[in-house]
Amino acid sequence: MQARRILSLIVIVFAGSFVVVRGIVPAVTVIQTDFPNYYTAGVIARTGSSAERLYDDAWFQQKMYDQGISQQGKFSPFPPATAVLFVPLSLLQPLDALRVLTALNALFLAGSIVLFSRLFCIPLSESTALILLSGWGLVNGFRFGQLYIALSFCMLAALYAQRQGLQAASGVAIGSLLPIKYFSLVLLLDATLKQRWRTVFWAMLVSGAIVATSIAVLGWEPHHQWLMSVLGDHLQGNLSQQDPYASTFQSLHSLLRRMFVFDAARNPQPLVHSAMLYSLLLYTIILICIVPGVVATVRLLRRDAATETTLAVLCTLALLLAPATATYHFVLLWLPVGILLRHYVDNGERMLTLLTLCVFAAIGFLPYSWFDRFDGRGIVTIAAYPRLLLLAVLYLLSVRAAHTPRLN
């Protein structure tokens, strides 16, 4: 135990310093990508300025310039309710607004550490060390003014409330960010599969109220645009003003597009130029990934209707199949990794415990720039996607846990 405490303190010092220096300090000194999009949308929602043009990139860019922000931006692919959420922050100057959001993210981080400790029965020092192993996920969550730290807190809070028998509170935690960051659908699906109807009801009620408020503030048109075009493009990995071939996204969509879809400017030398092969392989691999997850989930629910391992399976599967993941998305691994570590520790499977921990840390700290040299080099392009491969390993560990009864 003494060795674990010392190791935890070492991780806290080094990983904590990394997060502060690379993430928090920049967030309170300079505005960078992503946050200006949220802030400008908040201004548009507050002033009622032609909200139906939220997804008009050129118009939105001009609105950003009007706020004194000179960098390139757009609102796509964010859901319209995002704009309403940022209305209070839009009352401040952009940098002051980012500072407030940074302080809120720090509070959500602290709350997540406490919840993680209580959920998985480990000391606060170990909980802090584990969450700080998110590395670049935390850094860019702070630096870019993202909402994923808050979302991960809500996920942990939902599970904690569920354990306390507070189904309504669990539903509120799930629904509070569901219309804004729809990864929460994973928790809603889990609650539905387990027939926790009170949780489902409250999640739908809260998210429905948020959507209704968004429609009242912005009107129906931006919601219609998001449903009919923006969402579909996002699910296909087609993002305006961004390179769909970029390995930055570390997704199956990006990898297979790089290997099989020709583009004179962005991808002049694919392995094989065949749009049909791209689609065939993409949906075949998605199916191959989904099947073991479904089998594992069904098996778990038949064995133990209250099992939490289903959340590990569903969360890692959702991230594995996501069309455009960035580093800050991987703070969403706190919940599934906590469940996996608890499972393997209780079962006395030290090697799998260590493997889970190492994969999580690698996702957080691996220097991805080392792998850029492989991008666009035929079959070797796969080596440019280490985060995607690591996530696949984490998903397999989740499926493995689903087929192993918890012993303690």
Side-chain angles (χ1 to χ4, degrees), residues 1-9 121-123 125-126 345:
M1 292 297 291
Q2 186 66 23
R4 285 172 57 175
R5 187 174 294 109
I6 293 173
L7 181 59
S8 295
L9 291 176
C121 305
I122 59 175
S125 59
E126 294 182 17
V345 167

Side-chain angles (χ1 to χ4, degrees), residues 39 67 89-98:
Y39 177 84
Q67 305 309 312
L89 289 178
S90 73
L91 295 168
L92 304 172
Q93 291 300 307
L95 184 56
D96 290 334
L98 180 56

Side-chain angles (χ1 to χ4, degrees), residues 11-79:
V11 171
I12 290 170
V13 170
F14 286 97
S17 299
F18 179 72
V19 171
V20 170
V21 173
R22 301 299 295 270
I24 295 177
V25 171
V28 298
T29 55
V30 63
I31 293 178
Q32 300 188 51
T33 185
D34 291 346
F35 180 76
N37 302 321
Y38 298 139
Y39 177 84
T40 302
V43 172
I44 293 169
R46 175 170 57 83
T47 59
S49 176
S50 302
E52 69 274 5
R53 300 186 68 181
L54 266 175
Y55 298 106
D56 181 335
D57 290 346
W59 179 85
F60 190 87
Q61 181 69 71
Q62 184 56 54
K63 288 295 180 181
M64 189 175 290
Y65 290 150
D66 293 343
Q67 305 309 312
I69 301 171
S70 59
Q71 66 187 53
Q72 188 179 49
K74 59 178 182 136
F75 189 60
S76 173
F78 310 122

Side-chain angles (χ1 to χ4, degrees), residues 232-248:
D233 283 343
H234 183 218
L235 293 178
Q236 291 296 321
N238 298 319
L239 306 179
S240 63
Q241 297 184 11
Q242 291 176 290
D243 184 357
Y245 299 89
S247 61
T248 306

Side-chain angles (χ1 to χ4, degrees), residues 86 128 259 263 401:
F86 277 83
T128 304
M259 295 179 70
D263 184 278

Side-chain angles (χ1 to χ4, degrees), residues 242-243 245-251 254 258 324-327 330 368 372 375 384-385 387:
Q242 291 176 290
D243 184 357
Y245 299 89
S247 61
T248 306
F249 292 124
Q250 295 282 294
S251 67
S254 169
R258 174 67 83 187
T325 57
T327 50
F330 289 91
Y368 297 106
D372 287 345
D375 198 10
Y385 288 78
R387 195 167 69 223

